[in-house]
Amino acid sequence: MLTICPTGQIPHQADYCIFTSKTGVELAVKQGWRSEGETVCAVGPQTATALREREYSVNVVPSTFTSAGLVEELSDHVEGQTIEIARSAHGSNVLIQGLEEAGAVVHETHLYRLERPSTAGQSVSLTVEGELDGILFTSPKTVRHFFDIATERNSTSALQRELKETTVGAIGAPTERALHTEDIGVDVKPDSVSFEQLAENVVRRIDDKQG
């Protein structure tokens, strides 16, 4: 459902630099970004691992691995500070708004866009045909593209009907909210933003249903 389109941009210098994904880290480093004494923040452990594997120090990882959790972690420390947010072009406004309310000067660099591949759609067909026991959504953008395809094929009603019989997994609250907007219930949401944990939990739920 997604293809990554790099923008070629590089994070700006600031007192704090925030990364929100492994992909963002990889692209920033590829473009030549180097840490120059700023406080480096990662929204979660996977992003932090991507930085550390490239020998960057990570100063802040929030206890709650979300944008809101990062705002809570930083809000008492950033008044009058400059903050660079290096991420995709599709991030929510939670980080920017929260940090600006805490008194920071915030700049955002879009490292990549997430677009729908021309070949996407097989999972929509399989769902409508009732061929899937489970389906995993990993971002709100994935949900959006999935239902856009269904709308283009005039199969939204059939899709929603079949999904009620399918085990639906979602990573994180934003993805869950995107599914609820489409009137789709979420059966599995892991405690972490780990795809491996999501997959294992979905398979376990399917086994229990069939069992």
Side-chain angles (χ1 to χ4, degrees), residues 17-25 39-52 58-74 84-88 91-92 94-95 99 112 171 174 191-193:
C17 187
I18 294 174
F19 289 95
T20 64
S21 71
K22 176 183 176 182
T23 298
V25 171
T39 299
V40 178
C41 309
V43 76
Q46 290 181 330
T47 306
T49 296
L51 285 160
R52 290 174 180 136
V58 180
N59 306 107
V60 178
V61 180
S63 54
T64 302
F65 307 140
T66 63
S67 294
L70 193 51
V71 169
E72 184 177 356
E73 191 85 19
L74 295 176
E84 168 72 345
I85 301 174
R87 62 180 181 178
S88 81
S92 75
V94 170
L95 262 179
L99 294 171
Y112 60 101
I171 283 184
D191 296 331
S192 72
V193 290

Short mmCIF file of all heavy atoms in Angstrom, two decimals, residues 17-25 39-52 58-74 84-88 91-92 94-95 99 112 171 174 191-193:
data_model
loop_
_atom_site.label_atom_id
_atom_site.label_comp_id
_atom_site.label_asym_id
_atom_site.label_seq_id
_atom_site.Cartn_x
_atom_site.Cartn_y
_atom_site.Cartn_z
N CYS A 17 16.97 17.59 17.78
CA CYS A 17 16.57 16.99 16.50
C CYS A 17 15.76 15.74 16.79
O CYS A 17 16.21 14.84 17.51
CB CYS A 17 17.79 16.64 15.65
SG CYS A 17 17.36 16.08 13.98
N ILE A 18 14.54 15.69 16.25
CA ILE A 18 13.62 14.59 16.52
C ILE A 18 13.45 13.74 15.27
O ILE A 18 13.15 14.26 14.18
CB ILE A 18 12.24 15.13 16.95
CG1 ILE A 18 12.36 15.85 18.30
CG2 ILE A 18 11.21 14.00 17.03
CD1 ILE A 18 11.08 16.55 18.73
N PHE A 19 13.63 12.43 15.43
CA PHE A 19 13.33 11.48 14.36
C PHE A 19 12.14 10.62 14.79
O PHE A 19 12.05 10.21 15.94
CB PHE A 19 14.54 10.57 14.09
CG PHE A 19 15.68 11.27 13.41
CD1 PHE A 19 16.72 11.80 14.16
CD2 PHE A 19 15.71 11.40 12.03
CE1 PHE A 19 17.78 12.45 13.55
CE2 PHE A 19 16.77 12.05 11.41
CZ PHE A 19 17.80 12.58 12.16
N THR A 20 11.26 10.34 13.84
CA THR A 20 10.03 9.61 14.17
C THR A 20 9.94 8.25 13.48
O THR A 20 8.95 7.55 13.65
CB THR A 20 8.79 10.43 13.80
OG1 THR A 20 8.75 10.63 12.38
CG2 THR A 20 8.79 11.79 14.51
N SER A 21 10.96 7.88 12.70
CA SER A 21 10.91 6.57 12.04
C SER A 21 12.31 6.11 11.64
O SER A 21 13.23 6.92 11.45
CB SER A 21 10.04 6.63 10.78
OG SER A 21 10.69 7.39 9.76
N LYS A 22 12.45 4.81 11.50
CA LYS A 22 13.69 4.21 11.00
C LYS A 22 13.99 4.71 9.59
O LYS A 22 15.14 5.01 9.25
CB LYS A 22 13.55 2.69 11.02
CG LYS A 22 14.72 1.95 10.43
CD LYS A 22 14.47 0.44 10.44
CE LYS A 22 15.60 -0.30 9.76
NZ LYS A 22 15.34 -1.78 9.72
N THR A 23 12.94 4.82 8.78
CA THR A 23 13.12 5.29 7.40
C THR A 23 13.69 6.70 7.37
O THR A 23 14.59 7.01 6.58
CB THR A 23 11.77 5.26 6.65
OG1 THR A 23 11.30 3.92 6.60
CG2 THR A 23 11.92 5.79 5.24
N GLY A 24 13.18 7.56 8.25
CA GLY A 24 13.69 8.92 8.32
C GLY A 24 15.16 8.97 8.67
O GLY A 24 15.93 9.74 8.10
N VAL A 25 15.57 8.12 9.61
CA VAL A 25 16.99 8.05 10.00
C VAL A 25 17.83 7.63 8.80
O VAL A 25 18.86 8.24 8.49
CB VAL A 25 17.18 7.06 11.17
CG1 VAL A 25 18.66 6.82 11.42
CG2 VAL A 25 16.48 7.56 12.42
N THR A 39 20.59 17.73 20.96
CA THR A 39 19.95 16.64 21.70
C THR A 39 19.14 15.83 20.71
O THR A 39 18.19 16.34 20.09
CB THR A 39 19.03 17.20 22.80
OG1 THR A 39 19.80 17.96 23.73
CG2 THR A 39 18.33 16.07 23.54
N VAL A 40 19.51 14.58 20.52
CA VAL A 40 18.86 13.72 19.52
C VAL A 40 17.75 12.92 20.19
O VAL A 40 17.99 12.25 21.21
CB VAL A 40 19.89 12.79 18.86
CG1 VAL A 40 19.18 11.85 17.86
CG2 VAL A 40 20.97 13.60 18.15
N CYS A 41 16.57 12.99 19.60
CA CYS A 41 15.39 12.33 20.17
C CYS A 41 14.82 11.33 19.17
O CYS A 41 14.77 11.60 17.97
CB CYS A 41 14.30 13.35 20.51
SG CYS A 41 14.86 14.76 21.49
N ALA A 42 14.38 10.19 19.68
CA ALA A 42 13.73 9.17 18.85
C ALA A 42 12.37 8.86 19.45
O ALA A 42 12.24 8.72 20.67
CB ALA A 42 14.58 7.90 18.79
N VAL A 43 11.36 8.75 18.60
CA VAL A 43 10.00 8.58 19.12
C VAL A 43 9.79 7.20 19.75
O VAL A 43 8.91 7.01 20.57
CB VAL A 43 8.97 8.84 18.01
CG1 VAL A 43 8.89 7.65 17.06
CG2 VAL A 43 7.59 9.17 18.58
N GLY A 44 10.62 6.23 19.36
CA GLY A 44 10.49 4.89 19.91
C GLY A 44 11.75 4.07 19.75
O GLY A 44 12.75 4.53 19.17
N PRO A 45 11.75 2.84 20.24
CA PRO A 45 12.98 2.02 20.27
C PRO A 45 13.50 1.65 18.89
O PRO A 45 14.72 1.53 18.70
CB PRO A 45 12.56 0.79 21.07
CG PRO A 45 11.07 0.76 21.01
CD PRO A 45 10.62 2.17 20.92
N GLN A 46 12.62 1.43 17.92
CA GLN A 46 13.11 1.06 16.58
C GLN A 46 13.86 2.22 15.93
O GLN A 46 14.91 2.03 15.31
CB GLN A 46 11.94 0.62 15.71
CG GLN A 46 11.33 -0.71 16.14
CD GLN A 46 10.19 -1.14 15.26
OE1 GLN A 46 9.47 -0.33 14.70
NE2 GLN A 46 10.01 -2.44 15.13
N THR A 47 13.33 3.42 16.11
CA THR A 47 14.01 4.60 15.58
C THR A 47 15.33 4.82 16.31
O THR A 47 16.36 5.14 15.69
CB THR A 47 13.11 5.84 15.74
OG1 THR A 47 11.84 5.58 15.13
CG2 THR A 47 13.73 7.06 15.08
N ALA A 48 15.33 4.62 17.62
CA ALA A 48 16.56 4.76 18.40
C ALA A 48 17.61 3.74 17.97
O ALA A 48 18.80 4.07 17.84
CB ALA A 48 16.25 4.60 19.89
N THR A 49 17.18 2.51 17.72
CA THR A 49 18.11 1.47 17.28
C THR A 49 18.73 1.84 15.93
O THR A 49 19.94 1.64 15.71
CB THR A 49 17.39 0.12 17.17
OG1 THR A 49 16.94 -0.27 18.47
CG2 THR A 49 18.32 -0.95 16.63
N ALA A 50 17.91 2.38 15.03
CA ALA A 50 18.43 2.79 13.72
C ALA A 50 19.51 3.85 13.86
O ALA A 50 20.52 3.84 13.13
CB ALA A 50 17.28 3.31 12.85
N LEU A 51 19.35 4.77 14.79
CA LEU A 51 20.36 5.79 15.04
C LEU A 51 21.62 5.19 15.65
O LEU A 51 22.74 5.47 15.21
CB LEU A 51 19.79 6.87 15.96
CG LEU A 51 18.80 7.85 15.32
CD1 LEU A 51 17.94 8.52 16.38
CD2 LEU A 51 19.56 8.90 14.51
N ARG A 52 21.43 4.35 16.65
CA ARG A 52 22.59 3.77 17.34
C ARG A 52 23.38 2.84 16.42
O ARG A 52 24.62 2.77 16.53
CB ARG A 52 22.13 3.04 18.59
CG ARG A 52 21.62 3.99 19.68
CD ARG A 52 21.03 3.26 20.85
NE ARG A 52 20.55 4.18 21.87
CZ ARG A 52 19.38 4.07 22.50
NH1 ARG A 52 18.57 3.04 22.23
NH2 ARG A 52 19.01 4.97 23.40
N VAL A 58 21.68 8.66 21.19
CA VAL A 58 20.26 9.01 21.34
C VAL A 58 20.06 9.49 22.77
O VAL A 58 20.29 8.75 23.72
CB VAL A 58 19.34 7.81 21.03
CG1 VAL A 58 17.88 8.20 21.20
CG2 VAL A 58 19.60 7.28 19.62
N ASN A 59 19.63 10.73 22.91
CA ASN A 59 19.52 11.33 24.23
C ASN A 59 18.15 11.15 24.87
O ASN A 59 18.04 11.09 26.09
CB ASN A 59 19.83 12.82 24.14
CG ASN A 59 21.17 13.10 23.48
OD1 ASN A 59 21.23 13.55 22.35
ND2 ASN A 59 22.26 12.80 24.17
N VAL A 60 17.12 11.08 24.04
CA VAL A 60 15.75 11.03 24.57
C VAL A 60 14.93 10.01 23.79
O VAL A 60 14.85 10.07 22.56
CB VAL A 60 15.06 12.41 24.47
CG1 VAL A 60 13.61 12.31 24.99
CG2 VAL A 60 15.83 13.46 25.25
N VAL A 61 14.33 9.06 24.52
CA VAL A 61 13.30 8.17 23.99
C VAL A 61 12.16 8.20 25.01
O VAL A 61 12.38 7.85 26.17
CB VAL A 61 13.80 6.72 23.81
CG1 VAL A 61 12.68 5.85 23.25
CG2 VAL A 61 15.03 6.67 22.92
N PRO A 62 10.98 8.64 24.63
CA PRO A 62 9.91 8.77 25.62
C PRO A 62 9.44 7.41 26.15
O PRO A 62 9.59 6.39 25.47
CB PRO A 62 8.78 9.46 24.83
CG PRO A 62 9.03 9.06 23.41
CD PRO A 62 10.53 8.99 23.27
N SER A 63 8.89 7.41 27.32
CA SER A 63 8.38 6.16 27.89
C SER A 63 7.13 5.69 27.16
O SER A 63 6.85 4.49 27.12
CB SER A 63 8.08 6.35 29.38
OG SER A 63 7.21 7.44 29.59
N THR A 64 6.38 6.63 26.59
CA THR A 64 5.25 6.31 25.73
C THR A 64 5.67 6.61 24.30
O THR A 64 5.99 7.76 23.97
CB THR A 64 4.01 7.14 26.09
OG1 THR A 64 3.68 6.89 27.46
CG2 THR A 64 2.83 6.77 25.21
N PHE A 65 5.67 5.59 23.43
CA PHE A 65 6.29 5.73 22.11
C PHE A 65 5.34 6.36 21.10
O PHE A 65 4.95 5.76 20.09
CB PHE A 65 6.76 4.36 21.60
CG PHE A 65 7.65 3.63 22.57
CD1 PHE A 65 7.52 2.26 22.75
CD2 PHE A 65 8.61 4.31 23.31
CE1 PHE A 65 8.34 1.58 23.62
CE2 PHE A 65 9.44 3.64 24.20
CZ PHE A 65 9.30 2.26 24.36
N THR A 66 4.96 7.60 21.36
CA THR A 66 4.07 8.35 20.48
C THR A 66 4.53 9.80 20.43
O THR A 66 5.36 10.23 21.25
CB THR A 66 2.62 8.32 20.98
OG1 THR A 66 2.56 8.99 22.26
CG2 THR A 66 2.09 6.89 21.12
N SER A 67 3.98 10.56 19.49
CA SER A 67 4.28 11.99 19.43
C SER A 67 3.86 12.68 20.72
O SER A 67 4.58 13.52 21.26
CB SER A 67 3.56 12.62 18.23
OG SER A 67 4.09 12.12 17.02
N ALA A 68 2.68 12.31 21.24
CA ALA A 68 2.21 12.91 22.48
C ALA A 68 3.15 12.57 23.63
O ALA A 68 3.43 13.40 24.51
CB ALA A 68 0.79 12.44 22.79
N GLY A 69 3.66 11.34 23.64
CA GLY A 69 4.60 10.94 24.68
C GLY A 69 5.90 11.72 24.61
O GLY A 69 6.48 12.09 25.63
N LEU A 70 6.34 12.02 23.39
CA LEU A 70 7.56 12.80 23.22
C LEU A 70 7.35 14.25 23.66
O LEU A 70 8.22 14.85 24.29
CB LEU A 70 8.02 12.74 21.77
CG LEU A 70 9.42 13.24 21.44
CD1 LEU A 70 10.46 12.59 22.35
CD2 LEU A 70 9.76 12.97 19.99
N VAL A 71 6.20 14.81 23.35
CA VAL A 71 5.87 16.17 23.81
C VAL A 71 5.90 16.21 25.33
O VAL A 71 6.48 17.12 25.94
CB VAL A 71 4.50 16.62 23.28
CG1 VAL A 71 4.06 17.91 23.97
CG2 VAL A 71 4.55 16.83 21.77
N GLU A 72 5.29 15.22 25.95
CA GLU A 72 5.27 15.18 27.42
C GLU A 72 6.69 15.09 27.99
O GLU A 72 7.01 15.74 28.99
CB GLU A 72 4.43 13.99 27.88
CG GLU A 72 4.26 13.92 29.39
CD GLU A 72 3.36 12.77 29.82
OE1 GLU A 72 2.79 12.09 28.95
OE2 GLU A 72 3.23 12.56 31.04
N GLU A 73 7.53 14.31 27.33
CA GLU A 73 8.91 14.12 27.80
C GLU A 73 9.73 15.42 27.70
O GLU A 73 10.57 15.71 28.55
CB GLU A 73 9.58 13.03 26.96
CG GLU A 73 10.90 12.55 27.49
CD GLU A 73 10.76 11.47 28.54
OE1 GLU A 73 9.69 10.83 28.62
OE2 GLU A 73 11.72 11.27 29.29
N LEU A 74 9.46 16.22 26.66
CA LEU A 74 10.29 17.37 26.38
C LEU A 74 9.74 18.70 26.88
O LEU A 74 10.49 19.68 26.98
CB LEU A 74 10.51 17.49 24.86
CG LEU A 74 11.29 16.37 24.18
CD1 LEU A 74 11.33 16.60 22.67
CD2 LEU A 74 12.70 16.26 24.73
N GLU A 84 14.21 20.72 15.55
CA GLU A 84 14.04 20.23 14.19
C GLU A 84 13.33 18.89 14.23
O GLU A 84 13.73 17.97 14.97
CB GLU A 84 15.41 20.07 13.52
CG GLU A 84 15.42 19.30 12.21
CD GLU A 84 14.81 20.09 11.05
OE1 GLU A 84 14.13 21.12 11.29
OE2 GLU A 84 15.02 19.69 9.90
N ILE A 85 12.22 18.77 13.49
CA ILE A 85 11.49 17.50 13.37
C ILE A 85 11.77 16.95 11.97
O ILE A 85 11.38 17.55 10.97
CB ILE A 85 9.98 17.69 13.58
CG1 ILE A 85 9.70 18.28 14.97
CG2 ILE A 85 9.26 16.35 13.42
CD1 ILE A 85 8.24 18.63 15.19
N ALA A 86 12.44 15.82 11.91
CA ALA A 86 12.82 15.20 10.63
C ALA A 86 11.96 13.95 10.44
O ALA A 86 12.14 12.95 11.13
CB ALA A 86 14.31 14.84 10.64
N ARG A 87 11.05 14.02 9.47
CA ARG A 87 10.09 12.93 9.33
C ARG A 87 9.46 12.94 7.94
O ARG A 87 9.87 13.68 7.06
CB ARG A 87 9.00 13.06 10.40
CG ARG A 87 8.17 14.33 10.32
CD ARG A 87 7.12 14.36 11.41
NE ARG A 87 6.28 15.55 11.36
CZ ARG A 87 5.27 15.78 12.19
NH1 ARG A 87 4.98 14.92 13.15
NH2 ARG A 87 4.54 16.87 12.08
N SER A 88 8.41 12.13 7.77
CA SER A 88 7.69 12.08 6.50
C SER A 88 6.83 13.34 6.34
O SER A 88 6.65 14.12 7.29
CB SER A 88 6.79 10.85 6.42
OG SER A 88 5.58 11.07 7.12
N GLY A 91 3.15 13.53 8.78
CA GLY A 91 3.05 13.49 10.23
C GLY A 91 1.92 14.35 10.76
O GLY A 91 1.54 15.36 10.13
N SER A 92 1.38 13.96 11.89
CA SER A 92 0.32 14.74 12.51
C SER A 92 0.89 16.03 13.10
O SER A 92 2.12 16.20 13.20
CB SER A 92 -0.37 13.94 13.62
OG SER A 92 0.47 13.88 14.76
N VAL A 94 0.56 16.96 16.14
CA VAL A 94 0.69 16.82 17.59
C VAL A 94 2.05 17.31 18.08
O VAL A 94 2.14 18.07 19.06
CB VAL A 94 0.45 15.36 18.01
CG1 VAL A 94 0.81 15.17 19.49
CG2 VAL A 94 -0.99 14.96 17.77
N LEU A 95 3.11 16.88 17.41
CA LEU A 95 4.45 17.28 17.83
C LEU A 95 4.66 18.79 17.72
O LEU A 95 5.11 19.43 18.67
CB LEU A 95 5.50 16.57 16.97
CG LEU A 95 6.16 15.31 17.51
CD1 LEU A 95 7.14 14.77 16.49
CD2 LEU A 95 6.85 15.55 18.84
N LEU A 99 4.99 21.16 21.09
CA LEU A 99 6.29 21.75 21.38
C LEU A 99 6.25 23.27 21.29
O LEU A 99 6.91 23.97 22.08
CB LEU A 99 7.35 21.18 20.44
CG LEU A 99 7.64 19.68 20.64
CD1 LEU A 99 8.52 19.15 19.52
CD2 LEU A 99 8.26 19.41 22.01
N TYR A 112 10.69 12.40 3.34
CA TYR A 112 10.10 11.52 2.33
C TYR A 112 8.58 11.66 2.32
O TYR A 112 7.98 12.16 3.26
CB TYR A 112 10.49 10.06 2.59
CG TYR A 112 10.05 9.49 3.92
CD1 TYR A 112 8.93 8.67 4.04
CD2 TYR A 112 10.78 9.74 5.08
CE1 TYR A 112 8.54 8.15 5.26
CE2 TYR A 112 10.42 9.21 6.31
CZ TYR A 112 9.29 8.41 6.38
OH TYR A 112 8.90 7.91 7.60
N ILE A 171 -1.12 -1.16 14.20
CA ILE A 171 -0.02 -0.65 15.01
C ILE A 171 -0.35 0.77 15.45
O ILE A 171 -0.53 1.65 14.61
CB ILE A 171 1.31 -0.65 14.23
CG1 ILE A 171 1.87 -2.07 14.17
CG2 ILE A 171 2.32 0.28 14.87
CD1 ILE A 171 3.23 -2.17 13.50
N PRO A 174 -2.95 6.02 16.23
CA PRO A 174 -3.36 6.72 15.00
C PRO A 174 -3.92 5.79 13.93
O PRO A 174 -4.90 6.12 13.26
CB PRO A 174 -2.06 7.40 14.54
CG PRO A 174 -1.27 7.59 15.79
CD PRO A 174 -1.56 6.36 16.61
N ASP A 191 1.08 -3.79 22.38
CA ASP A 191 1.51 -2.78 23.35
C ASP A 191 2.62 -1.89 22.79
O ASP A 191 2.76 -0.74 23.19
CB ASP A 191 2.01 -3.47 24.63
CG ASP A 191 0.90 -4.24 25.33
OD1 ASP A 191 -0.26 -3.84 25.20
OD2 ASP A 191 1.22 -5.24 26.00
N SER A 192 3.42 -2.44 21.88
CA SER A 192 4.52 -1.68 21.29
C SER A 192 4.23 -1.45 19.81
O SER A 192 3.24 -1.95 19.27
CB SER A 192 5.84 -2.45 21.45
OG SER A 192 5.85 -3.56 20.57
N VAL A 193 5.12 -0.68 19.15
CA VAL A 193 4.96 -0.46 17.72
C VAL A 193 5.80 -1.47 16.94
O VAL A 193 6.38 -1.15 15.90
CB VAL A 193 5.33 0.99 17.33
CG1 VAL A 193 4.31 1.95 17.85
CG2 VAL A 193 6.72 1.36 17.84
#
